[in-house]
Amino acid sequence: MLIAKGLKKNYTSKVKTGFLKSTTKKVEAVRGLDLTIEPGSIVGLLGLNGAGKTTTIKMLSTLLEPDEGSCAIDGLDLVKDAFQIKHMVNMIAGGERMVYWRLTARENLEYFGRLYSIPKEELKSRIESLIRFVGLQERSEEAVEKYSKGMKQRLQIARGLINDPKYLFMDEPTLGLDAPIARDLRRFTKSLAKEQGKGILLTSHYISEIEELCDYVYIIDRGLKIMEGTPKEIASIVANCTNKYKIKLNVLPDKLRGQFETFMSTVQSEFQLEEVDGGIEIDVSSHKDIQSELISMLSQQSKIISFTAMEPKLEDAIITLSEVKNYEQVHA
Amino acid sequence: MNRYMLNSIKAEAIKQHKSVYHSNLMYFSMLIWPVLELFSAYYAYKPFEGTAASEIVAKWVGDDMIFAFILFGYISFIFFRCFVQSAWRFSSERISGTLELIYQTPANRLGIMLGNALASLFESTWMFMVFCIGALVLFTNLRISSIFMPLVAVLSLVIPSICWGIFMNSLFMFSRDSGMLYTVFQSPMEIFGGAKLPYPAFPFWAKVIGGVFPLTWSINIVRKIFMNGALLSDIKFELLVLCAICAALFLMTLLLLKKSEAYARKTGNMALF
Ligand SMILES: Nc1ncnc2c1ncn2[C@@H]1O[C@H](COP(=O)(O)OP(=O)(O)OP(=O)(O)O)[C@@H](O)[C@H]1O
Ligand SMILES: [Mg+2]
């Protein structure tokens, strides 16, 4: 079991203020994160750009040292026992980098395998089975530069599994992949957890990916955890905190308009009105589910031509949640 | 040496070799450039024949030996340069993201640096052999005291250049800006190392600069062995200085590797480029 407690990481970077002059700027990338990954489970880490996902993964894979907090992986300490931990974890990132393009798939895997000092015979058979697992057997003797994006990504997965890690950290592994290849990758990921019992941490921008794969999800924003739960719970909270409706009416009498505007302000929702051919269009965005209230109010004095409830977006939910969190912090 | 060290050396040497020599043509094409450079260096003297500049050289080496002088200076220089270039190549792994992957493994860091240098040793030795055979055929007036001395010459190129290579490599680990060090180290080494002009003819300040580069001493040894028929006792001093420089470079490498990894773990600069 991987248990992280209160992980913190600040970056200090130099900002040029003039020729030969600079000040240091502190970025609080991760601000006290608790996280648990059980073997055989897939845990999602969700957040917008710059939320601190990659930083978290780099801390867990020993590339960054946490400023504060601790992490125990199967009883070993992330910092003190880094050498042993390196044998137990690995990281896979999206994109085409991170393999040697001039080498073949097999040579790439041999290289990384040797860095882990895996005994020769064991390494040989492991490379065979990994190449088969990711379906590269026909092209394994070809230089990687001739591979397609998806094949490079599959090699990347094989590379991430070369030390047979108990815990695998995947940083946006489906970045830039076509839907069918992304689907393959999700299938791999699932079987790694469910059949091989690996503990997996997965970061993603896509809520659908997280919903499909994860057993448990953490949502972070600007280095802080704003929510955690099962994908079902997350999805319902997301659905609840961002509701967008597109309504078309044939007329909007003044009386109804007044009534509508008061209602909008009592539920703290925003709206936009626009006159279009044959009626009026209203865009509503609300933190509460006000679908039935809207319909009953509007249909009394006008005719609803169409009413669309938009699919909730994770981005909106995160923004809303962090607003709520900030509000709570300020008013605590 | 532990298992991790050996495996890291082996892995890195093989990888580096394979990613550079992906075709057999490379072995010959890489000779073309040094040969051209050598001739351009030699013909740079031609217009100065009879002038002060060529007299300096002639005074120290004798008129008939100028080409041999330049040749041995140059091949020693190229020997070192191979290592610097491979360190330079290695620093580009920061961009390809593979540097982070290496540091994520339990690989022996010094082993990686040594493996990287070993791959360029192969390149260097190949060039050196071709040039040496060329020199032996070309010049009949070379004086070599015994069959054992060329071996000493080779060793006094191999060991210092490996030390120099791993030192450069570990410097490049520090940050992306260390690419600038390539310029800072490379040109002075070429000018003050005595590849083209005789080191003893340098003014004092230039001798000081040249004196810190192991290349300077290696060149002296190589020339003395091939051109003056030096015995071990004639190059005692140079060998001693070279040993001291190598030891210092090795210790600095160890220190730099430790510091640069700790620094990267603090700042996350290993992914920056
Ligand atoms: N090496 C670094 N030096 C300074 N600041 C950094 C460094 N790496 C990341 N940051 C900053 O730390 C914060 C968190 O970055 P991080 O890469 O962890 O985010 P992320 O959640 O992975 O974002 P994305 O979805 O864009 O990948 C950002 O504000 C980023 O600008
Ligand atoms: Mg990221």
Side-chain angles (χ1 to χ4, degrees):
Chain A
M1 188 131 90
L2 184 155
I3 306 164
K5 285 216 172 77
L7 286 184
K8 268 192 195 165
K9 184 75 203 173
N10 297 333
Y11 292 111
T12 45
S13 50
K14 282 209 175 94
V15 181
K16 278 210 130 170
T17 52
F19 186 69
L20 293 180
K21 266 189 286 181
S22 63
T23 54
T24 52
K25 199 180 110 214
K26 198 166 107 184
V27 179
E28 292 178 281
V30 177
R31 301 187 277 173
L33 192 63
D34 298 341
L35 192 78
T36 308
I37 307 172
E38 282 182 50
S41 73
I42 305 180
V43 172
L45 191 59
L46 228 63
L48 303 180
N49 290 124
K53 304 182 294 291
T54 303
T55 306
T56 305
I57 281 193
K58 284 193 179 165
M59 281 194 277
L60 296 181
S61 42
T62 71
L63 284 170
L64 282 175
E65 195 173 318
D67 291 339
E68 271 175 53
S70 65
C71 177
I73 302 182
D74 290 354
L76 293 168
D77 182 77
L78 183 64
V79 178
K80 278 198 228 94
D81 309 310
F83 184 75
Q84 281 103 303
I85 291 213
K86 281 171 191 286
H87 288 88
M88 296 160 47
V89 303
N90 212 326
M91 169 182 68
I92 295 170
E96 296 178 83
R97 297 154 72 227
M98 302 182 123
V99 281
Y100 294 99
W101 284 33
R102 291 227 167 130
L103 304 188
T104 66
R106 190 182 302 278
E107 288 166 347
N108 263 291
L109 295 175
E110 274 169 3
Y111 174 68
F112 287 105
R114 284 194 185 113
L115 295 188
Y116 283 97
S117 281
I118 300 164
K120 209 170 162 191
E121 288 309 311
E122 197 181 330
L123 180 60
K124 213 170 149 193
S125 67
R126 194 176 292 172
I127 289 176
E128 267 341 294
S129 70
L130 281 177
I131 285 178
R132 239 177 301 120
F133 178 65
V134 296
L136 284 175
Q137 50 280 54
E138 260 124 64
R139 310 282 297 269
S140 65
E141 310 296 336
E142 248 177 78
V144 171
E145 57 194 355
K146 293 183 187 141
Y147 288 9
S148 70
K149 223 181 214 179
M151 290 166 70
K152 286 191 196 107
Q153 190 62 30
R154 278 186 275 166
L155 174 59
Q156 188 64 250
I157 295 180
R159 199 271 309 143
L161 295 170
I162 192 73
N163 62 331
D164 193 19
K166 277 184 82 176
Y167 297 91
L168 189 63
F169 312 128
M170 305 174 88
D171 196 5
E172 301 185 49
T174 52
L175 189 79
L177 296 183
D178 290 341
I181 302 167
R183 188 153 8 98
D184 272 359
L185 206 144
R186 287 199 280 271
R187 191 169 46 79
F188 286 146
T189 310
K190 213 163 209 161
S191 88
L192 286 174
K194 302 304 161 205
E195 279 152 39
Q196 301 185 26
K198 299 189 188 303
I200 295 179
L201 182 69
L202 179 81
T203 80
S204 180
H205 284 283
Y206 310 120
I207 184 123
S208 60
E209 189 165 288
I210 296 278
E211 264 187 284
E212 180 187 334
L213 287 177
C214 295
D215 302 302
Y216 202 75
V217 183
Y218 296 90
I219 297 185
I220 58 171
D221 180 61
R222 278 164 288 173
L224 280 178
K225 180 159 70 189
I226 51 177
M227 196 180 8
E228 64 181 287
T230 62
K232 265 222 176 74
E233 288 163 357
I234 300 279
S236 80
I237 293 171
V238 167
N240 270 329
C241 67
T242 61
N243 299 274
K244 287 199 167 158
Y245 310 105
K246 213 175 186 63
I247 311 159
K248 191 166 176 190
L249 303 171
N250 65 341
V251 284
L252 185 63
D254 282 346
K255 187 173 160 226
L256 180 58
R257 191 183 183 128
Q259 217 177 333
F260 174 75
E261 280 170 8
T262 0
F263 178 63
M264 284 288 105
S265 71
T266 53
V267 294
Q268 295 177 350
S269 303
E270 286 159 20
F271 68 96
Q272 272 187 330
L273 284 170
E274 197 185 343
E275 299 221 14
V276 292
D277 302 345
I280 287 164
E281 247 178 33
I282 314 175
D283 286 329
V284 176
S285 143
S286 167
H287 299 330
K288 294 199 183 81
D289 183 359
I290 47 171
Q291 182 167 345
S292 49
E293 288 92 329
L294 278 175
I295 293 178
S296 68
M297 177 173 65
L298 295 169
S299 59
Q300 276 171 16
Q301 298 169 46
S302 175
K303 189 171 177 309
I304 297 176
I305 299 172
S306 67
F307 189 105
T308 323
M310 315 280 257
E311 181 114 35
K313 276 225 183 77
L314 178 72
E315 280 78 1
D316 299 325
I318 292 175
I319 292 166
T320 314
L321 284 169
S322 71
E323 274 166 7
V324 172
K325 191 108 186 168
N326 281 345
Y327 180 85
E328 281 170 358
Q329 272 178 353
V330 172
H331 294 82
Chain B
M1 273 209 246
N2 63 19
R3 194 159 55 95
Y4 285 90
M5 178 103 162
L6 283 176
N7 282 322
S8 303
I9 294 177
K10 187 174 166 194
E12 181 61 31
I14 293 175
K15 176 205 84 187
Q16 193 67 27
H17 181 75
K18 280 188 175 156
S19 45
V20 179
Y21 300 97
H22 37 92
S23 81
N24 288 337
L25 209 61
M26 276 296 286
Y27 295 104
F28 295 95
S29 68
M30 73 188 194
L31 289 173
I32 295 170
W33 192 237
V35 168
L36 289 178
E37 274 180 331
L38 180 62
F39 278 100
S40 83
Y42 177 64
Y43 284 106
Y45 277 100
K46 278 270 158 185
F48 298 111
E49 245 169 316
T51 65
S54 82
E55 245 147 51
I56 293 176
V57 180
K59 186 175 145 211
W60 291 96
V61 296
D63 264 333
D64 54 332
M65 292 289 256
I66 290 185
F67 192 65
F69 173 85
I70 293 173
L71 178 87
F72 283 110
Y74 231 76
I75 50 182
S76 308
F77 171 68
I78 288 167
F79 205 96
F80 273 74
R81 193 177 55 184
C82 292
F83 289 86
V84 179
Q85 275 170 342
S86 104
W88 175 247
R89 260 196 309 266
F90 190 62
S91 73
S92 73
E93 296 210 10
R94 194 182 284 280
I95 299 167
S96 62
T98 41
L99 187 62
E100 266 199 337
L101 292 181
I102 294 173
Y103 272 87
Q104 193 201 255
T105 71
N108 182 288
R109 278 47 169 158
L110 180 64
I112 299 280
M113 303 296 134
L114 281 170
N116 193 271
L118 222 56
S120 34
L121 180 63
F122 181 81
E123 178 186 2
S124 297
T125 313
W126 158 247
M127 283 215 233
F128 185 73
M129 264 173 41
V130 172
F131 275 99
C132 270
I133 291 169
L136 292 174
V137 173
L138 220 62
F139 308 116
T140 46
N141 53 354
L142 294 180
R143 287 195 292 138
I144 302 168
S145 63
S146 79
I147 195 83
F148 162 74
M149 289 314 284
L151 205 70
V152 174
V154 169
L155 279 182
S156 50
L157 280 174
V158 169
I159 294 168
S161 60
I162 288 182
C163 290
W164 185 248
I166 58 173
F167 170 68
M168 284 309 240
N169 246 340
S170 60
L171 266 185
F172 283 147
M173 290 305 102
F174 236 101
S175 91
R176 55 188 160 163
D177 300 322
S178 45
M180 153 189 110
L181 295 168
Y182 183 73
T183 334
V184 170
F185 281 108
Q186 193 62 22
S187 318
M189 187 163 100
E190 186 170 357
I191 298 165
F192 301 112
K196 293 177 187 168
L197 289 168
Y199 181 71
F202 284 164
F204 179 70
W205 61 269
K207 272 189 185 155
V208 172
I209 299 178
V212 299
F213 294 109
L215 169 69
T216 311
W217 305 96
S218 298
I219 288 183
N220 272 338
I221 293 172
V222 169
R223 280 185 183 140
K224 282 189 175 172
I225 287 176
F226 282 99
M227 293 165 58
N228 306 344
L231 292 164
L232 264 189
S233 57
D234 301 320
I235 50 172
K236 269 197 316 249
F237 178 67
E238 282 88 347
L239 284 175
L240 217 64
V241 175
L242 209 47
C243 285
I245 294 178
C246 287
L249 286 173
F250 191 76
L251 291 178
M252 278 194 284
T253 303
L254 288 181
L255 188 75
L256 280 172
L257 285 177
K258 272 230 154 55
K259 290 266 179 243
S260 63
E261 186 166 2
Y263 184 69
R265 273 162 58 79
K266 274 249 136 26
T267 61
N269 76 336
M270 202 151 276
L272 301 181
F273 46 84

